[in-house]
Amino acid sequence: MRPARRDTPRTLPARLLTGLAALIGLVVVGALCPGAALAQSPAARSAGVPSAGAQAAGLHIGDGRLLEGNGNDFVMRGVNHAHTWYPGETQSLADVKALGANSVRVVLSDGHRWSENGPADVAAVIEQCKANRLICVLEVHDTTGYAEDAAAGTLDHAADYWIGLKDVLAGQEDYVIVNIGNEPWGNTDPAGWTEPTVAAVKKLRAAGLQHTIMVDAPNWGQDWQGVMRANARSVYDADPTGNLIFSIHMYSVFDTAQEITDYLNAFVDAELPILIGEFGGPADQYGDPDEDTMMATAEQLRLGYLAWSWSGNTDPVLDLALDFDPSRLSGWGERIFHGVNGIAQTSEEATVYGDGAPDDTEAPTAPGAPSVTAVTDSSVTLGWVAATDDTAVSGYDVVLVGDGTSSTVASSTTTTATVTGLTAATTYTFAVHARDAAGNRSARSATVEVTTDGGGTPGGACSVGYRVVGEWPGGFQGEIAVRNTGSAAIGPWTLAFAFADGQTVTNMWGGTATQDAGAVSVAPASYTATIPAGGTVTLGFIARKGDTNTAPAAFRLNGAACAAP
């Protein structure tokens, strides 16, 4: 796992490199038996006998699925947010909701390692989740890497923290899931995870907490030795209410489709509830997580996922939004929110927010007709007059209109957006909808028709500097500095170059890369769309490589060759 924050380990210890390939096989062969006794037998289900979880108020488990109080299947589509380290970033919940999330996992501290999030703060977080119509997963982060990291706290201490918040949590079962402790065991003797996990579950239930409980896996959450997989049935059966869900964290251990599908299907086949409670996509020195398979399998199996993380990571590659700015999504953020099987495409709001009469039923007014501010052969930048609302407009959706249908192609919290991935010399029709925090959507704006360029326009004078920032077996991090040496601004722009040794870009920030064999084309992010005269924009990226890593020989900006700096 990657470093998530300066205080929070997100890397597998170096000693795992030896024998990791062999040990990961334990995940594949280990030990969930679909024929094992289930929380409710098929005979009981066919006889119409409800499971224990079905008797619970609020979010609960039934037949291996996470359900709402009304029995509706609820599939989490959301992100993690580091509240305990950034308590002032209270706008973040509204921002992730505006981008389509239906849930958020909130990092808290029980006071063992960081400053404790007290009852008033936790109550405020819950109210912010509810105000933004999000299901709230609350987790204690102090347990991260216990038994390997000496600074980590115990699950028992975390359980006491939750019991101390019992009055704050009471009555919030429809909206809140309690994640006892984050990654509560490292790689040292991970079999030790099972007993304290069972004890913590029993302690919370004995204290009267009725919420659905979430438990994280050992091995820093990735369960590469199969301990949670092997012991999931006994842990689940330790919960007398049956309202317990397992959370697997998927980073570089899960770098093949087979590992991902085997792990998730093992739980589904055994009717044991599971979700991907954290995952990353950018490659690191231990591997390249297969986020495409993670997201596709989660959608196929209707399992939840919560991407790591909104913003504030020490390694910015893992930031979904740069500097907590929703208008500055990274490549990783674009993948999560707007990519295939992403949040915008698959998220459904919890029905608890629609069962009653919501306080806000008034939709925003339609935005003004969009106007075109920039066009290239593969992108269009649009702007529009803001909509109004009785409370507040939280975001906008740009839709592609055609044949009597429309589909969302970009989202923004401002009154501008850039639509990328278009075909050259092609005519498109776009319109805009406004949204508020209650989920009300405006009527569609008037449309605008635009034809993309047939090719790049001259980029003017430019120079490009290229350097390798860091390198490891199988991968590297690179940086490209594009300077406008002319007297007029350039933008939007397209940068083209080629790798000679089979290098493949897997993630980029500052722009969006598309690649065909060795040829790479980069379109700008919203915040790098214009290069002012004499100015420079910097692109960063992660790429795979072989034994040789030759730098690109030439760069072209909007078709014009650029000099070396």
Side-chain angles (χ1 to χ4, degrees):
M1 299 170 68
R2 286 184 166 279
R5 189 181 179 275
R6 50 194 154 272
D7 301 313
T8 311
R10 278 288 181 280
T11 53
L12 289 170
R15 59 178 174 277
L16 281 187
L17 291 175
T18 304
L20 179 57
L23 288 168
I24 189 63
L26 292 173
V27 174
V28 178
V29 284
L32 274 184
C33 178
L38 303 176
Q40 184 188 26
S41 70
R45 288 196 300 276
S46 65
V49 178
S51 66
Q55 304 300 313
L59 292 158
H60 62 279
I61 304 299
D63 294 333
R65 305 290 304 169
L66 177 63
L67 307 175
E68 294 189 66
N70 62 4
N72 184 69
D73 210 41
F74 181 66
V75 180
M76 290 191 193
R77 290 287 181 266
V79 305
N80 287 262
H81 170 53
H83 172 75
T84 197
W85 303 305
Y86 302 99
E89 297 294 341
T90 55
Q91 177 64 25
S92 294
L93 300 188
D95 291 339
V96 300
K97 176 64 178 181
L99 288 164
N102 65 14
S103 46
V104 63
R105 182 171 178 257
V106 180
V107 177
L108 300 176
S109 172
D110 64 5
H112 176 84
R113 188 169 186 176
W114 297 287
S115 297
E116 179 179 342
N117 296 99
D121 184 38
V122 175
V125 168
I126 294 171
E127 289 309 307
Q128 289 164 9
C129 284
K130 292 166 68 175
N132 288 289
R133 302 166 76 88
L134 294 163
I135 295 302
C136 204
V137 179
L138 303 177
E139 62 101 344
V140 163
H141 216 77
D142 306 68
T143 57
T144 304
Y146 181 79
E148 184 171 353
D149 187 338
T154 65
L155 280 173
D156 186 64
H157 190 272
D160 287 338
Y161 172 74
W162 295 121
I163 292 169
L165 291 172
K166 183 178 176 181
D167 290 345
V168 170
L169 298 171
Q172 305 298 336
E173 291 84 358
D174 275 312
Y175 310 98
V176 172
I177 292 174
V178 174
N179 189 175
I180 307 177
N182 182 70
E183 301 176 2
W185 208 275
N187 295 311
T188 303
D189 187 25
W193 166 90
T194 306
E195 184 177 344
T197 300
V198 166
V201 171
K202 290 181 174 180
K203 189 171 190 175
L204 292 179
R205 294 307 187 207
L209 269 72
Q210 295 299 311
H211 304 71
T212 293
I213 288 175
M214 185 182 293
V215 296
D216 284 8
N219 295 130
W220 301 88
Q222 296 199 79
D223 200 30
W224 60 271
Q225 290 176 287
V227 171
M228 185 172 82
R229 180 171 169 171
N231 293 279
R233 174 59 59 193
S234 62
V235 173
Y236 183 84
D237 288 345
D239 183 355
T241 73
N243 294 316
L244 182 143
I245 187 168
F246 296 93
S247 174
I248 182 67
H249 293 183
M250 289 185 167
Y251 292 90
S252 53
V253 163
F254 291 91
D255 56 0
T256 69
Q258 191 69 48
E259 291 162 349
I260 295 161
T261 57
D262 281 355
Y263 196 93
L264 295 176
N265 274 292
F267 280 77
V268 171
D269 291 345
E271 295 192 29
L272 286 166
I274 191 168
L275 84 161
I276 307 173
E278 283 186 22
F279 69 106
D284 63 20
Q285 62 266 45
Y286 303 108
D288 183 3
D290 186 357
E291 70 275 14
D292 291 338
T293 298
M294 296 175 201
M295 296 167 73
T297 305
E299 181 63 13
Q300 175 195 358
L301 299 175
R302 299 293 290 159
L303 302 179
Y305 66 63
L306 299 166
W308 187 276
S309 75
W310 177 239
S311 198
N313 291 285
T314 298
D315 185 346
V317 170
L318 283 170
D319 281 351
L320 297 162
L322 304 181
D323 297 325
F324 295 91
D325 183 349
S327 69
R328 299 174 60 203
L329 294 183
S330 65
W332 174 225
E334 290 288 351
R335 175 69 187 92
I336 290 299
F337 287 106
H338 300 137
V340 176
N341 297 310
I343 287 173
Q345 193 177 89
T346 65
S347 177
E348 298 178 14
E349 186 176 82
T351 60
V352 68
Y353 292 114
D355 284 347
D359 294 335
D360 182 5
T361 60
E362 183 175 335
T365 63
S371 59
V372 179
T373 60
V375 181
T376 70
D377 57 342
S378 62
S379 68
V380 173
T381 301
L382 304 172
W384 54 89
V385 175
T388 60
D389 187 59
D390 60 327
T391 56
V393 174
S394 60
Y396 296 90
D397 297 322
V398 177
V399 294
L400 177 64
V401 180
D403 298 325
T405 64
S406 64
S407 58
T408 300
V409 291
S411 295
S412 175
T413 56
T414 67
T415 55
T416 63
T418 298
V419 182
T420 59
L422 304 179
T423 302
T426 303
T427 300
Y428 296 90
T429 301
F430 298 102
V432 183
H433 292 273
R435 287 178 279 104
D436 64 19
N440 300 308
R441 198 183 197 203
S442 76
R444 197 174 76 191
S445 73
T447 60
V448 64
E449 189 174 275
V450 57
T451 300
T452 52
D453 292 342
T457 56
C462 56
S463 67
V464 174
Y466 176 93
R467 71 186 183 101
V468 173
V469 177
E471 203 165 353
W472 53 89
F476 71 101
Q477 179 177 337
E479 182 180 277
I480 303 170
V482 184
R483 179 171 176 79
N484 177 1
T485 58
S487 58
I490 301 174
W493 48 264
T494 300
L495 181 71
F497 60 94
F499 284 121
D501 301 318
Q503 301 99 319
T504 303
V505 176
T506 58
N507 189 65
M508 176 172 281
W509 51 101
T512 301
T514 56
Q515 186 165 351
D516 183 7
V520 181
S521 178
V522 179
S526 59
Y527 56 94
T528 59
T530 300
I531 311 174
T536 301
V537 297
T538 302
L539 312 171
F541 66 92
I542 300 293
R544 290 191 292 265
K545 70 173 185 67
D547 294 335
T548 306
N549 188 19
T550 306
F555 294 85
R556 302 184 71 85
L557 187 67
N558 288 350
C562 295

